[in-house]
């Protein structure tokens, strides 16, 4: 099994290839001409990287040969386009052409990607959901989400109003869940035509009183969801790491239970679910949104639960335990499908850590990369180590 870690950073995409299964890691990059890449996903030899900024505009890079060559599909314009339109020499030097862009200047970045039943999805900033049925060559906006009755009440999080999480159902192409910060969880069961907002607490009477603006209120979880995953199996079990707590839903997000008890903090960004066991999950708590956003006591730990969040255990072996002030962002934790499962995360200080035994032991497999925004895993069984 050939394992490749896909890494999105503020200075391009990087690939970290396991030369012998999950060992002897080699880094290649930066790819995507140094664009800020918020998310990278792959399927076989196809890899997509979404990102952009005010300078470049928003776009999605694609490689059809496992990361050797790349081409970008620009979706919105940036400052570079305005400069080039008014400076022929500059336009010639960068190979710019006055080609129409499908979405004008309606959004600035691609924030998330998902490949579900042959459809490629992209989440944007400001929050909207795009879909492509031709591997990313052309795109349409799903207006059913954009025109949701609650849209005028969506509030931006610290990073802006971003659609950062796209979750599919492996058995049903019409079912999809998305996360927006800070508007919460939305679900569709008709391929994106209509959407239901799903943030209700399962037991509002026991949610407690909180002063934090992102905490549960009015019978709902906090709307600043940070990351979400669907558990394996036939049930629509979901887990989310929220700005204020970790939550579990047994009914596709229609109701949520607080499973934060036992963790050192209510704050964190990523959540990860075991590929085969719906009761095993991982998260990386940080010390708080206004307390520095680094591991509690400056000692790194990945916290694992083997009973669906009833109890939690810290996993620290191989992780820095002194003067550790990094942050792990919402899309910067991933896992493979092997047995035992591999878990991987990247830090804003440019390190990637890997565990081949479900988090018990950790190794730093890359360091000194740019700020890491996203980590995903590409597995290719045709190239076993």
């Amino acid at each position: 099994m050939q394992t490749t870690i896909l890494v999105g950073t503020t200075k391009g995409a990087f690939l970290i290839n396991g030369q012998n299964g999950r060992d002897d890691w080699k880094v290649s990059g930066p790819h995507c001409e140094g664009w800020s890449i918020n998310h990278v996903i792959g399927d076989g030899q196809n890899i997509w990287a979404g990102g952009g900024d005010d300078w470049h505009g928003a776009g999605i890079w694609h490689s059809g040969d496992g990361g050797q060559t790349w081409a970008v599909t620009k979706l919105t314009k940036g400052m570079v386009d305005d400069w080039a339109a008014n400076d022929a020499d500059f336009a010639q030097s960068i190979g710019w052409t006055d080609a129409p862009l499908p979405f004008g200047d309606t959004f600035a970045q691609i924030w998330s990607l998902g490949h579900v039943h042959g459809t490629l999805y992209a989440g944007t900033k400001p929050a909207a959901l795009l879909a492509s049925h031709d591997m990313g060559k052309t795109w349409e906006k799903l207006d059913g989400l954009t025109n949701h009755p609650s849209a005028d009440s969506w509030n931006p999080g610290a990073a802006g109003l971003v659609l950062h999480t796209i979750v599919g159902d492996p058995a049903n192409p019409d079912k999809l869940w998305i996360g927006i910060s800070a508007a919460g969880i939305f679900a569709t069961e008709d391929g994106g035509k209509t959407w239901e907002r799903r943030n209700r607490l399962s037991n509002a009477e026991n949610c407690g009183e909180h002063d934090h603006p992102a905490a549960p209120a009015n019978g709902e979880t906090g709307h600043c969801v940070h990351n979400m995953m669907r558990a394996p199996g036939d049930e629509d079990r979901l887990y989310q790491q929220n700005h204020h707590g970790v939550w579990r839903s047994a009914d596709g997000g229609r109701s949520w239970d607080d499973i934060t008890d036992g963790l050192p903090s209510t704050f964190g960004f990523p959540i990860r679910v075991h590929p085969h066991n719906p009761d095993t999950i991982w998260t990386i708590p940080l010390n708080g949104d206004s307390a520095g956003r680094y591991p509690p006591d400056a000692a790194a730990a990945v916290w694992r639960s083997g009973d669906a969040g009833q109890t939690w255990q810290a996993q620290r072996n191989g992780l820095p335990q002194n003067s550790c002030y990094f942050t792990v962002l919402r899309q910067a934790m991933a896992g493979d499908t092997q047995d035992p499962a591999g878990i991987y995360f990247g830090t804003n200080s440019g390190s990637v850590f890997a565990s081949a035994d479900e988090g018990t032991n950790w190794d730093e497999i890359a360091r000194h990369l740019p700020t890491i925004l996203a980590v995903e895993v590409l597995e290719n069984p045709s190239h076993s180590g």
Side-chain angles (χ1 to χ4, degrees), residues 3-15:
T3 301
T4 300
I5 312 303
L6 308 174
V7 182
T9 81
T10 53
K11 297 181 180 180
F14 292 79
L15 277 59

Side-chain angles (χ1 to χ4, degrees), residues 96-343:
W96 182 84
T97 59
D98 190 14
L101 297 171
F103 298 99
D105 59 359
T106 56
F107 53 85
Q109 296 179 357
I110 298 298
W111 256 73
S112 55
L113 297 168
H115 193 219
V116 183
H117 295 280
T119 298
L120 190 61
Y121 293 96
T124 71
K125 172 188 176 179
L129 185 63
L130 313 179
S132 173
H133 303 289
D134 55 12
M135 303 287 282
K137 296 182 180 68
T138 61
W139 293 85
E140 62 178 334
K141 186 172 69 169
L142 300 186
D143 291 326
L145 178 64
T146 305
N147 298 329
H148 192 274
S150 68
D152 60 355
S153 69
W154 298 354
N155 292 310
L161 185 65
V162 296
L163 196 161
H164 52 67
T165 301
I166 302 169
V167 176
D169 183 337
N172 186 344
D174 289 332
K175 290 175 69 172
L176 203 67
W177 296 264
I178 58 98
I180 298 175
S181 183
I185 302 298
F186 294 79
T188 181
E189 297 189 6
D190 57 14
K193 297 180 180 67
T194 62
W195 294 82
E196 181 183 15
R197 202 175 190 184
R198 296 184 179 176
N199 303 297
R200 184 175 64 85
L201 292 171
S202 62
N203 189 346
E205 291 78 13
N206 293 331
C207 74
E209 296 293 331
H210 304 280
D211 295 329
H212 197 287
N218 302 316
E220 294 192 339
T221 67
H223 289 172
C224 192
V225 56
H226 282 174
N227 193 248
M228 174 179 57
M229 277 197 72
R230 183 185 184 276
D234 296 333
E235 299 178 359
D236 282 339
R237 188 192 298 187
L238 302 172
Y239 294 93
Q240 67 158 296
Q241 170 69 65
N242 197 286
H243 195 105
H244 198 282
V246 180
W247 302 80
R248 180 188 65 235
S249 173
D251 53 15
R254 294 176 177 85
S255 62
W256 293 90
D257 294 303
D258 188 349
I259 56 172
T260 314
D261 190 33
L263 291 171
S265 168
T266 59
F267 184 82
F269 284 110
I271 190 82
R272 191 73 204 171
V273 186
H274 195 283
H276 313 299
N277 183 350
D279 291 336
T280 298
I281 52 179
W282 297 264
T283 190
I284 303 178
L286 303 175
N287 63 349
D289 58 355
S290 59
R293 302 188 178 199
Y294 56 81
D297 301 320
V302 175
W303 289 71
R304 181 177 65 190
S305 174
D307 52 18
Q310 296 183 65
T311 61
W312 294 90
Q313 299 80 39
Q315 300 171 294
R316 302 180 182 274
N317 192 37
L319 298 177
Q321 296 302 294
N322 295 291
S323 304
C324 178
Y325 300 102
F326 61 52
T327 295
V328 180
L329 297 174
R330 71 178 79 237
Q331 296 179 136
M333 189 179 191
D336 62 36
T337 61
Q338 299 184 50
D339 186 15
I343 303 296

